[in-house]
Each structure stands twice: as C-alpha cells, then as structure tokens.
Amino acid sequence: MRIALIGQPNCGKSTLFNQVAGYKAETGNFSGTTVTFTETKVRVQGQVVNLVDLPGTYTLAASNPAEREVFTYLAGHEVDIIINVIDAVHLSQSLELTLELLELQRPMVIALNMLDEARMVGLQLDGPGLGKLVGTPVLPLVASKGQGVRNLFVAAVRTAQEGVIPIRQAFSPDIEGAVDFLMSRVMSFAEPLCTEAAVIKLLEGDAELTKALKNSQPEMIHVVEDLRLGLQHSRSRQPVWVISGERHARANEIADMVTRQGERRVLFRDHLDNILLHPVLGYLALVLILFLFFQFVYHFGTLLEEPLLNFFIGMEGMMLSWLGEGFFSQILVGLIQGISGGIAIVLPYLMPFLFGLGLLEDIGYLPRVAFLMDALMHRIGLHGKAIVPFILGFGCNVPAVMSTRIMEDRRDRFIAAALATLVPCAARLSVVFGLVAFYLGPNLALAIYLFNLVVISLTARLLSLMMPEETPGLILEIPVYRLPTFRTVAGKAWFRIREFVVEAWPVLIAGSIVLSILNYFNWAVFINSLVRPLSWLLGLPAPVGVPLIFGILRKELSLVMLHQALQVTDLSTKMTSVQMVTFAVFVVFYIPCLATMAVLRRELGARAMALIASLTVIIAMLAALAARGAALLFL
Amino acid sequence: MRLLDVEKEKDVIVVAIEAGRSVESKLRQLGVMPGNCVRVLRQAPFRGPLLVLAGGREVALGQRIAAKIMVEEKPCESP
C-alpha cells in the first residue's frame, strides 16, 4: 500500500513524515524546503506501507519544477490513499488544493494540522462537518508534537482498504457540461490519473496533458480547443482562471460553513516583526543575530577542538614511540589523523552550526531575511527568493543547489546555483575555523566570511550582466513565527551530522591513509609538482598540492590532509599567517566538492556543471591573490 | 491605482493583475486575486518589497510585482 502526503507549502507534511519515519526529510518554517519526494516504509498496525512525502504545492497546475513534482508523481505512480495535510489556520486557502485533489477521485483523508495554532488565534473548526461536505474522514493533528499521528494513519489505512471515493465538488453548469461532453468523447489517456481529473486539467489548458492527448487521440485536440474558446468567450476570462476562481469561491464557502472565529488573542509574536522587519532595527537585528551565531559556533568549536586535538596528538606520539617509523606505523598515523580530523577539527564546528541553522529555520526567520535583503539582491541582479539556496548553502551546497528548484526561471536557477556553490558550506567552515580562527583568531575568520560575501556579490553582478533579463520579482509567503521543539531541531541537526559521519568521515579517513602511503613512498612529490605552478603563484608551500587535489572529494580533507602533508600537528610551525589566509580563501572558492558537482549536473546539466566548476577556479585564484595581497599588507 | 502606491494599513480590493500567467497564478494561490481584500503592512527600505496581508496570510511582494497589481480603495466586508 502506498500513502502520499500532499499539502500546501509549510503546512507540516515533512514534520508529519519525520514523526513516523524518523528524521529523513528536511523541514523548515518556510516554503520550498522539500523539493523532491522522499519515500520510506513505515508500520501501521503491523502492516508495512510505503509513505511518500511530496513537495508542498498550492495547486496541481503549478509551474515551478518543485511544485510540479506532485502532479508528476500522481500521474506516474499508483497511490492507494492521499493524506491531504491542511494548515487549519488558513483553512480556506488550503481547501483550494483539497478541492483539486477531490477531482482525482482517489481515496483520501484530511489531516487538520496545527490545531494548537488555530486555537491560539481563536478559530474553532468543525472537522466532522467538513468531512461530510467532501466525503472524506477528517482527523485532528498537531504534527509538531506528534498528537493525532497514530489515529490519522489508522484512519488512512482503513479508508484505503474500504476504497471510499470522496465527493468532487461540482463547478457551474457550463463547465460541468464541457467536462461531461469531453468525458463522453475522450478515451482514457493519462492513466493512472482518472479521466475526469485529466479532462478538467485539459480545460485549464495544462500543457503536459494536452501533449499526452495529442499523442493518443490527436483528433480530440480541436474539440478541447473549441470548448476552451467557448468558455473564454462566455466568461470573458481564461478558462484556467474561471476554474480556479470557482474552486476559490467554493473553498471560501466551505470554510465559512465549518469555522467559527472566536476572540483573537494578541500574541508576543505579533509584535516581533515590528522589530525584526523594522527598516532600521531589522537590519541591526540581522547583523546581531548573525554575529551571535558566529560567536556561538566559534566558542563552542574551540572549546572542544583544543582538548580533542591534544588527546589525539598524545595518542599519535605514543603510537610512534611504540612502533617506530616503519610502514605500518605510517598507516596507523594516517588512520589516527583521519579519525581525529573528523572528531577534533570538523565536528566541533559542525554541531553548533547545524543546530543553530536548524533553529533559525524552524523559527521562521529565513523568509524574513529574504524580505529584508530583496532590495539588495535586486542590485546584484537576483530577487529575494534566491536567499533560500544561499542560506541553505552555509549548511551544505547540495541541498542548496537542489533548492533552486523553487525558482521558475532557468536563468535564475543557473545564477543562484553558481552563487550557492561559492557559499562556504559547513565543510569549508571547518577549514576556515580550524585553520584561520584557531591559529589567527575569530576576527580574521569573520573577515574571510565578509570577503566571501563581497566576492559573491561581484560574481552575481557579473553573471547578471552577462545574462541580462528582467526577473519578475519576489512573491514569497512570510510564515508566522513558530516556537520549534527541541526534538525537531536536534533531530534535524542529527540528520545532517549523520550525513557527515556516514558519508564524509570514511572518505576523510581513507584519504588520510592514502596520503600517508603516498608520503611513505615519496609519491606525493609527483602530485605536488603538478600543482606547483598554482601553489607557487599563491606563495604556498609545495606540499599543499595533495590536500588541494583531495579537497575536491570532500572539502574537509584539504585541512585534515594538510596536517599530514606538512607532517606537523601544529600548523603554525610550517605556515605563515599569510599562507594560512591565502590557503583558506582558495579552499573556500575553488571547485565545488564531488557531491555538489554531481547535483549540479543532475539539476542543470553537464555543461552548466563544467561552466560553474571552471568559474570557481578562476574566482578562487583571483580571490586568493587578492587575499594574499591584503594579508601581506596588514598581517 | 497600483498596489505599490497604496498607503500602509489601508484596505484595498484587488481589481486586476496585469502580469503573465505564472505570476498571476502564484499570486492567486497566495490569496492575491481580483475581488479579494489586501492590506499593505510594511515596506522594506531601499525600494524593497511590500509586506501584504491577504486572506489571513502575510506575503512579501517585490516592487515590480506590486506595480502590476491594480487595486481600488474600498473598505473590506470582513476583516
């Protein structure tokens, strides 16, 4: 049995999904966090079912790739039951999608989510009444606290087994007439989509379904066109607006019937935006929040890095004094340095960073940053929506590149993806912090981050000059602030940390061992001499060649292997401050890691990937030279 | 008049949206559509976006978008 979670953006589908599946899907208090579907197996009353989490969408007729995914999925997969998650606070808008789902004529249950929020704003909802109107069970849910989850799934499985088909809400007679007429003429052409739903979409003018019809029954195309023209003529509006307008009216009608507005309490969060979105205070708050975030990551990280590093240095010394300088002790040292690189250098910064980022995401602050920064983003040729991949990029470039799907325009997606790969992700954060902040102090690390922003803005300006186009502008829902539970924030941080532990750490350890073998047989010299022109130009010691090459696999490797390449644990004995800054800046910008390149290729194609990768090398060279010049002057 | 020129905290009714299909559909989904009541809550500085209340939701609209939404000053029936 397959259950699909469908709902509008930010209604809590992924939160519900994670409640039953363990943390597997990214969540956040802004629209567009889920851009593709996640499927998992869960147990409901002893039965194993497939549960699919789909991106949020306002309508099945959406135009951006992330939202279109829902329709594509429904048109391509057998789904036994739909769980339509509804944000109870915004009932009438949410019902517009529900009405569209009813047209699919598949078993469905409605989950009235965020009932706690609804109660807070004084809304009373008549769930059973709603159920009677649309012919589906309606269940109460507070997904963030796990309330009602069990009952919802039990009801879903039961409804699927009974095969109850919900009641499609009728349109005006003229539209229904057109639907009936087409139903009698058109043969099924969009399985597993039911013909009724497909026919309505044809009247709306859906491009994909029109193409499907053209392939199977080309003679019907002009019949559809005539009906559409007829509707357009009699209603003097495009059929798509006529149909969605009727859904809108019906949704309002139903919402009115089942809601009672009680007294609305004024809450603390209603005043919060007076500060956080204030024309002056808002920006001060933004700077303060980022500064505190930075300090938190730095202090938490250094608190752990020093003692951990000392512990591993001691261990290494012991190992060497036991085993001497042979081949095996070299490999063992490589192993220890790989392990210590993960525990002592990367994780101390990764943990607080991912926890803090998750907190900001779940509170709902990020869309506000988009609001504040939109004007600035316009200056550099983008709009505020591009801030989402930007901010996700600080965590990891891979989801950042994927999140460019929330943009409709390919040119916008390319620029946003190119810029997102320049954002220093958590892996590069560990290089900046583990090298520059650790040896030279946090202010210099902050300077590198600011410099990074300048370079990104310049690049953006340049790219948008090369690809000039009017961007339509920002349209973004600003969600209410929510108090996240510790469980969801910690769960999310763990979800991302686990990715490092499972995927990146083994690579770090293996890379470290490979390097110790290279060193033992003196092969590293060969690779270093290949990279020598570059390291010479940047004034870096020759042995940085191998760490830089391996850094393409995982950015953390470039720091972890640096220790080994220079054969010291205290880097300051072999590198000057200027060299550290130059190295860090180069690592921040050059070639995105392998995983990011793979996702770039998947999202935008091989050509775009190659273009972006070569662009980053040029930028990295220029930026590192500039940083070197500045460092020579000021350090 | 254009939504862009509306004063803060004043209710207006959307009359027309003079933008392409994808923009209009996006706006409709967020409750900004002809016949609906919207209210400008605030505006970001440096000619930044407007924050608009539409159907109980807050939506940020860039200036270019707000210039394409035609409105009429009229008190709304229900808050």
Side-chain angles (χ1 to χ4, degrees), chain A residues 120-447:
Chain A
M120 274 205 289
V121 297
L123 279 178
Q124 284 175 326
L125 298 175
D126 174 15
L130 174 62
K132 258 190 219 117
L133 286 169
V134 298
T136 73
V138 174
L139 288 116
L141 180 68
V142 183
S144 60
K145 295 179 186 142
Q147 294 166 7
V149 175
R150 214 187 117 75
N151 287 341
L152 173 64
F153 278 92
V154 170
V157 170
R158 197 177 52 230
T159 312
Q161 282 160 349
E162 290 167 359
V164 189
I165 300 297
I167 308 167
R168 173 168 86 78
Q169 307 291 301
F171 295 105
S172 299
D174 54 343
I175 300 175
E176 287 299 329
V179 171
D180 285 342
F181 181 72
L182 277 181
M183 289 279 286
S184 66
R185 302 283 296 276
V186 166
M187 275 169 316
S188 160
F189 68 102
E191 292 283 346
L193 215 59
C194 80
T195 317
E196 206 170 356
V199 159
I200 297 172
K201 286 275 165 282
L202 282 177
L203 287 175
E204 287 179 21
D206 187 277
E208 271 176 47
L209 283 178
T210 308
K211 218 170 112 193
L213 183 69
K214 209 177 207 163
N215 289 339
S216 70
Q217 298 149 70
E219 71 285 358
M220 288 306 297
I221 288 292
H222 73 274
V223 180
V224 176
E225 266 319 301
D226 286 350
L227 286 169
R228 280 169 47 77
L229 280 173
L231 271 175
Q232 178 150 7
H233 189 71
S234 63
R235 300 284 200 106
S236 58
R237 275 198 297 167
Q238 285 187 35
V240 59
W241 305 140
V242 176
I243 291 173
S244 72
E246 293 210 353
R247 281 197 203 105
H248 174 73
R250 180 66 184 150
N252 273 342
E253 213 173 279
I254 295 177
D256 278 346
M257 283 191 265
V258 299
T259 353
R260 266 215 342 256
Q261 175 71 55
E263 198 183 326
R264 192 186 192 292
R265 275 188 291 157
V266 176
L267 303 163
F268 165 68
R269 67 181 188 203
D270 293 329
H271 298 297
L272 206 51
D273 274 340
N274 287 338
I275 299 167
L276 294 182
L277 293 185
H278 188 274
V280 179
L281 295 178
Y283 292 91
L284 291 178
L286 176 62
V287 172
L288 186 72
I289 288 170
L290 292 181
F291 176 76
L292 288 177
F293 187 25
F294 206 78
Q295 288 289 325
F296 165 66
V297 172
Y298 172 71
H299 287 288
F300 189 96
T302 37
L303 204 70
L304 291 181
E305 178 171 353
E306 262 194 70
L308 283 170
L309 215 51
N310 285 336
F311 168 78
F312 280 107
I313 291 170
M315 208 161 122
E316 220 178 281
M318 252 165 44
M319 205 64 80
L320 282 177
S321 63
W322 275 353
L323 295 171
E325 290 276 338
F327 179 69
F328 280 107
S329 74
Q330 271 293 317
I331 287 186
L332 226 55
V333 167
L335 178 75
I336 291 174
Q337 284 183 343
I339 294 172
S340 89
I343 291 187
I345 300 175
V346 179
L347 278 177
Y349 299 105
L350 203 61
M351 284 192 303
F353 175 76
L354 291 177
F355 189 84
L357 186 69
L359 194 67
L360 286 180
E361 282 177 2
D362 282 7
I363 288 173
Y365 185 60
L366 299 188
R368 272 133 182 122
V369 178
F371 176 79
L372 291 171
M373 300 304 285
D374 185 60
L376 189 75
M377 300 291 273
H378 266 295
R379 297 267 151 85
I380 61 173
L382 281 169
H383 59 78
K385 226 175 175 181
I387 203 85
V388 175
F390 255 52
I391 291 173
L392 288 177
F394 283 100
C396 173
N397 285 177
V398 173
V401 170
M402 282 175 75
S403 77
T404 59
R405 285 189 204 172
I406 62 173
M407 281 178 252
E408 281 80 8
D409 195 68
R410 199 186 138 82
R411 171 242 181 211
D412 288 356
R413 295 188 66 201
F414 176 81
I415 295 186
L419 298 179
T421 56
L422 296 177
V423 174
C425 63
R428 285 173 270 178
L429 167 116
S430 60
V431 179
V432 174
F433 275 74
L435 187 66
V436 177
F438 188 70
Y439 290 105
L440 308 172
N443 290 339
L444 217 53
L446 188 62

Side-chain angles (χ1 to χ4, degrees), chain A residues 478-505:
Chain A
I478 307 287
V480 295
Y481 288 107
R482 293 195 176 120
L483 200 62
T485 59
F486 179 78
R487 216 188 114 167
T488 48
V489 176
K492 173 154 60 181
W494 169 239
F495 173 69
R496 292 169 175 174
I497 290 170
R498 193 177 53 192
E499 253 179 21
F500 166 77
V501 173
V502 176
E503 286 171 25
W505 206 2

Side-chain angles (χ1 to χ4, degrees), chain A residues 294 422 424 432 443-459 581-582 584-589 619-631:
Chain A
F294 206 78
L422 296 177
V432 174
N443 290 339
L444 217 53
L446 188 62
I448 289 185
Y449 270 81
L450 293 178
F451 177 61
N452 173 263
L453 287 181
V454 174
V455 172
I456 290 177
S457 318
L458 287 176
T459 312
V581 172
T582 315
V585 168
F586 188 78
V587 168
V588 162
F589 291 109
I619 293 173
M621 280 305 297
L622 295 175
L625 282 173
R628 185 173 177 229

Side-chain angles (χ1 to χ4, degrees), chain A residues 8 58-59 63 67 90 93 204 237 240-241 244 248 273-274 277 279 283 371 374-375 379 408 470-478, chain B residues 21-30 33 36 42-46 48-51 54-62 64-65:
Chain A
Q8 296 193 342
Y58 295 101
T59 166
S63 52
E67 297 182 1
H90 301 111
Q93 291 102 317
E204 287 179 21
R237 275 198 297 167
V240 59
W241 305 140
S244 72
H248 174 73
D273 274 340
N274 287 338
L277 293 185
Y283 292 91
F371 176 79
D374 185 60
R379 297 267 151 85
E408 281 80 8
E470 284 268 297
T471 50
L474 178 74
I475 306 174
L476 184 67
E477 185 185 346
I478 307 287
Chain B
R21 175 172 168 158
S22 69
V23 169
E24 177 160 359
S25 119
K26 191 92 200 170
L27 287 170
R28 281 171 175 267
Q29 292 149 19
L30 292 165
M33 67 174 82
N36 272 21
R42 47 181 104 238
Q43 193 191 337
F46 317 116
L50 308 178
L51 187 66
R57 285 192 214 212
E58 291 182 12
V59 184
L61 299 177
R64 276 190 210 148
I65 301 279

